[in-house]
Amino acid sequence: MDDILGSLSLSLIVGLFVKGLLVLTTLLSLVTVRQASLMDKVLNVPIGNWFKTLAWGFFFVSLILTIGIVLIV
Amino acid sequence: MSGRGLLVLLFLFAPAFAFGGVGALALFVALVAGGRGADVGRVLGECAAGAIGRGLAGAAHGIRLREAPERLGRATPGQRCGAQLGGRFENFVQRGGDGRSFGKEAFDRGPAFRTFLPFCQAVGQDGIQGSDLCLEVGQVGGCHREAGGRDLPVEGLIGRGIEVPPELAVLNLELGPSGTMGEAPDLPGEVPHRSFGIVTEFLAHGNAPPWRVHQQKSLKGPRQECFLGGDSGNNSLKRCICQDYRVMRRGSILIRMIESRYMPEVFSKSGKSKSPPSTDLRVVSEVKRMVDEGYCEPPWRSLAAMPPGTKFEAQNDDEKVLLLMRKHPVTNLWWIGLTAVLFGLPLFWGEFPLIASVTPMVGLALAVFWYLGLAFFVIQNLLLWFYNVYIVTDERIIDVDFFGLLYKNVNAMQIRKIEDVNYSQVGMFSSIFNYGNVVIQTAAEQRSADRTEEASAFTFEAVPNPDRVVKVIGELMEQEEKEEYEGRTK
């Protein structure tokens, strides 16, 4: 037990914490995609597709960054 | 680092992590938004229905894409006259129907340049090739009897989204000499179901006439930006037909739709037989004024009159959006400012010993998360601002509220159930930027069932020009009462 605790460092804990939050952010971005789609359904405006594109772009950026951080850090 | 220190770190930064956002993406979003916005604004902002009128004036060209005799009823497709009046254009398509008469007076107003080029009624199953697109441009200015006196179903000229594929842009529009019409080949592609439309502009493309670009750049101001064909000096035709048009893209044909409710007034004196006004022809003068003043564009404005191409869930077929409102942009300042502050915060992370002590890679991960969260924050607020709207149609008022990711509340109410409308402007900002709350009260008044804790279920919060909104609703109420009295309520 002491060995485990001794091996813990601030960087390790913060790193794990950040990774978890990044995954959470990615999930939220996916929800945002769905949300933008539903909003566009409720109110269909000419630039609604742009918002959907924005949401999808955010999701993919989040996904890529999350994967990168989780694998590298 | 002690466990206690870690706890402090987590407690200090977890909220920030949860609500923060990340700059690179935010910057990207801003850049993209700016670029697209400028582009869209450049195109959509050219609310210039008059371009064709003035553009064609003097051009002495005629364009006919296709005619559909069987669809035109009593109209004679291709029939035109007035070529000798070169420079005056009357572009029209007629179809059979029981609409208003498109009579002599309408043409007597010349030298008005009317650009009146609707599509035939949406027969659309077979697309353009099925000859539902009967689009003519010809010179008939000053031609009374020949072109006038035939029934034109004005009521049918309802603007809907016309989707014109880009292929239209590459049509070889053969522009004939003065007084003649060029024939275009069959239009390629399928075009979805459509209603009437009015083609008012042709963007420069290929063989397109050079006047187009010139007119596009020269039009400024609401008067020139949207009107029904213009009036060339006399102010007899004031109706603004700046409605429901779509710009497909550069190089394509720009389609502008026409709203039926504005047509009868233009041609109201021309009827041989006057049909009683119906409820779907409600004309709200305040809305028309707003349209004349250019309140119809761009689509992200916080108060839009007759916004083009806007539909909402559960909209009736013949229901028309008169006003689309959202909170004044100034109300977004708080999160924009907060984002700006949070954006620069990582620059000072080195001042925090706990953060400074982590490895560079973890610091990088922390920064990535920070800016991603910030971007999420920005997108959320942007979406919520844009889609939290208040809609006034000719039948109902609708209050659409979104809260966070997973909650929405939509209230709808018939105009006739409105008892009273008032508005309030409280505070310095609302006075400076002229926005306020419009409270609509019903007979069975109750507080909003949503989370807003508004004074009424129909409180339009922080909408620009609340006085004008109240005026529009007031006019609708008057008309509703009148129709109810006359027994014409839907």
Side-chain angles (χ1 to χ4, degrees):
Chain A
M1 188 63 181
D2 289 341
D3 292 340
I4 295 175
L5 290 177
S7 63
L8 285 179
S9 67
L10 177 66
S11 295
L12 180 65
I13 295 174
V14 173
L16 287 173
F17 181 64
V18 169
K19 287 176 186 175
L21 287 178
L22 276 173
V23 172
L24 179 65
T25 305
T26 305
L27 292 176
L28 285 177
S29 68
L30 192 58
V31 175
T32 303
V33 170
R34 180 61 179 156
Q35 180 195 24
S37 177
L38 290 175
M39 284 175 160
D40 185 63
K41 189 180 173 188
V42 173
L43 178 69
N44 188 269
V45 290
I47 61 172
N49 283 333
W50 182 82
F51 283 101
K52 286 194 278 190
T53 306
L54 176 70
W56 273 109
F58 176 62
F59 167 68
F60 283 120
V61 170
S62 301
L63 186 65
I64 291 170
L65 289 176
T66 300
I67 291 174
I69 294 295
V70 168
L71 292 180
I72 294 172
V73 177
Chain B
M1 160 140 315
S2 67
R4 188 175 177 183
L6 279 176
L7 280 177
V8 170
L9 176 72
L10 294 180
F11 275 107
L12 279 178
F13 289 97
F17 292 164
F19 296 104
V22 188
L25 197 58
L27 183 60
F28 166 76
V29 168
L31 289 174
V32 170
R36 285 293 298 269
D39 187 46
V40 175
R42 174 180 55 75
V43 180
L44 292 184
E46 294 155 1
C47 193
I52 196 171
R54 296 196 173 105
L56 287 176
H61 284 153
I63 303 170
R64 183 173 58 181
L65 296 182
R66 190 176 180 85
E67 62 185 25
E70 70 279 10
R71 306 283 187 191
L72 296 179
R74 281 165 285 184
T76 305
Q79 181 179 1
R80 67 196 189 287
C81 56
Q84 70 279 7
L85 299 177
R88 293 174 188 172
F89 265 74
E90 184 72 46
N91 310 317
F92 70 99
V93 167
Q94 297 177 323
R95 71 173 174 88
D98 53 357
R100 290 167 179 269
S101 172
F102 189 65
K104 179 175 181 298
E105 290 83 357
F107 290 87
D108 276 338
R109 292 179 187 264
F113 299 139
R114 287 185 214 93
T115 308
F116 187 50
L117 209 159
F119 286 92
C120 273
Q121 175 60 354
V123 274
Q125 287 79 7
D126 44 3
I128 288 179
Q129 293 179 347
S131 72
D132 61 325
L133 176 65
C134 43
L135 181 152
E136 298 177 41
V137 178
Q139 290 183 309
V140 292
C143 176
H144 307 152
R145 290 302 176 192
E146 291 85 351
R150 292 177 300 208
D151 289 340
L152 182 75
V154 172
E155 289 84 356
L157 301 174
I158 298 171
R160 296 283 173 80
I162 277 197
E163 298 288 346
V164 177
E167 288 80 5
L168 272 177
V170 296
L171 279 176
N172 295 316
L173 298 176
E174 299 174 6
L175 303 179
S178 175
T180 67
M181 284 186 174
E183 275 287 353
D186 285 347
L187 307 182
E190 288 285 323
V191 173
H193 183 83
R194 67 189 57 202
S195 181
F196 286 96
I198 180 168
V199 175
T200 56
E201 293 177 339
F202 292 88
L203 298 183
H205 183 281
N207 297 327
W211 43 261
R212 177 62 219 106
V213 173
H214 170 71
Q215 287 296 331
Q216 185 181 358
K217 289 181 178 173
S218 63
L219 290 170
K220 286 191 175 175
R223 189 66 184 88
Q224 286 87 359
E225 281 182 353
C226 50
F227 65 99
L228 175 63
D231 52 36
S232 142
N234 66 15
N235 291 320
S236 55
L237 297 177
K238 290 181 178 177
R239 297 286 74 78
C240 170
I241 307 299
C242 177
Q243 306 302 325
D244 275 350
Y245 69 96
R246 300 271 178 92
V247 179
M248 305 316 295
R249 68 183 187 195
R250 239 183 172 178
S252 65
I253 291 179
L254 187 149
I255 301 294
R256 196 184 300 279
M257 309 299 294
I258 192 167
E259 280 290 338
S260 64
R261 66 193 69 250
Y262 289 159
M263 291 303 298
E265 289 208 357
V266 177
F267 304 108
S268 59
K269 297 180 181 177
S270 62
K272 284 188 293 187
S273 62
K274 278 200 169 181
S275 57
S278 62
T279 51
D280 57 353
L281 287 177
R282 271 184 189 160
V283 177
V284 182
S285 58
E286 185 64 22
V287 173
K288 286 191 293 182
R289 271 193 291 274
M290 293 169 76
V291 171
D292 288 338
E293 294 169 15
Y295 271 83
C296 49
E297 297 289 353
W300 53 81
R301 69 175 306 146
S302 48
L303 174 58
M306 309 284 289
T310 299
K311 297 172 185 173
F312 61 93
E313 208 174 29
Q315 182 177 5
N316 297 329
D317 289 339
D318 54 350
E319 189 173 13
K320 293 294 163 194
V321 176
L322 299 180
L323 291 181
L324 177 69
M325 295 157 281
R326 53 179 65 89
K327 287 185 179 178
H328 196 284
V330 169
T331 59
N332 294 321
L333 279 182
W334 72 270
W335 63 263
I336 293 174
L338 182 60
T339 303
V341 172
L342 294 177
F343 185 84
L345 200 58
L347 296 176
F348 305 99
W349 276 358
E351 306 299 325
F352 298 96
L354 290 179
I355 299 179
S357 62
V358 299
T359 62
M361 290 303 288
V362 173
L364 176 68
L366 205 55
V368 167
F369 168 71
W370 180 267
Y371 285 114
L372 268 184
L374 195 58
F376 177 74
F377 177 70
V378 169
I379 291 173
Q380 276 298 304
N381 281 288
L382 191 64
L383 283 174
L384 290 178
W385 170 74
F386 188 80
Y387 283 105
N388 271 311
V389 294
Y390 314 108
I391 301 170
V392 176
T393 74
D394 55 352
E395 298 175 17
R396 298 180 292 171
I397 56 174
I398 294 102
D399 181 357
V400 181
D401 291 320
F402 289 97
F403 303 94
L405 289 174
L406 303 171
Y407 181 87
K408 74 171 180 180
N409 184 71
V410 180
N411 293 316
M413 181 174 64
Q414 299 287 332
I415 297 287
R416 64 172 172 272
K417 293 182 180 175
I418 298 175
E419 288 290 320
D420 192 19
V421 186
N422 55 64
Y423 73 95
S424 60
Q425 289 179 289
V426 180
M428 183 180 66
F429 275 90
S430 62
S431 299
I432 293 174
F433 295 101
N434 190 24
Y435 66 85
N437 297 341
V438 176
V439 180
I440 301 165
Q441 296 171 347
T442 63
E445 190 51 69
Q446 59 183 11
R447 292 179 68 85
S448 172
D450 56 35
R451 299 179 181 177
T452 58
E453 298 297 327
E454 295 164 338
S456 162
F458 293 93
T459 300
F460 298 168
E461 282 190 319
V463 293
N465 299 311
D467 53 331
R468 303 190 80 167
V469 176
V470 169
K471 196 170 181 181
V472 168
I473 297 175
E475 283 190 44
L476 283 171
M477 290 167 63
E478 285 178 14
Q479 292 193 24
E480 185 71 39
E481 287 177 11
K482 186 178 175 186
E483 289 170 4
E484 201 168 339
Y485 177 75
E486 295 172 356
R488 292 189 284 111
T489 307
K490 285 182 179 177

